[in-house]
Amino acid sequence: MIDHLCITVANFRRSRAWYQAALAPLGYELKYDGEHGAGLAAGFGPQAEEQAVLYLLSAVPGRGQCEPLTHFCLRVDSQAKVQAFHAAALQAGGEDNGRPGLREGYYAAFVLDSDGYNVEVACYV
């Protein structure tokens, strides 16, 4: 089970705004917004929980960074939330990478964020 996930983003403010808009229909909110080491961090998590589960980290010039994660998935409990995420993510400037629909055993949508991360939201039907 994953406790939390951190990704490094090229434009911290743009990415923070995009994730805040795209994750709002899923009930995620900004849980942390501040400094992290020599850079900045923003943490998002479900409204009903205290902790963030997804952190965005600003790239720090001159320091080694992990290779970008290319795909991650957030689980929700309804097709309506998958659809709401997809619409909000596109409205916030994301690029469609798989419209909401049935896959093999689940319902999902995919959107590329401004750094090219493939963000999937899925529910099991």
Side-chain angles (χ1 to χ4, degrees), residues 5-30:
L5 176 69
C6 299
I7 60 174
T8 302
V9 296
N11 184 319
F12 179 77
R13 285 174 178 71
R14 177 182 66 199
S15 294
R16 180 183 56 206
W18 186 86
Y19 276 91
Q20 194 163 10
L23 297 177
L26 307 182
Y28 279 62
E29 63 186 10
L30 188 63

Side-chain angles (χ1 to χ4, degrees), residues 22-86:
L23 297 177
L26 307 182
Y28 279 62
E29 63 186 10
L30 188 63
K31 301 284 185 179
Y32 178 81
D33 189 24
E35 294 182 7
H36 178 74
L40 299 172
F44 298 90
Q47 292 171 347
E49 295 181 18
E50 194 172 320
Q51 299 289 11
V53 296
L54 172 64
Y55 288 90
L56 308 179
L57 306 174
S58 63
V60 178
R63 300 185 80 176
Q65 299 291 335
C66 296
E67 289 296 317
L69 177 68
T70 59
H71 174 88
F72 62 91
C73 178
L74 302 171
R75 186 183 299 185
V76 296
D77 60 4
S78 72
Q79 292 181 7
K81 287 183 181 177
V82 171
Q83 294 164 359
F85 158 78
H86 188 261

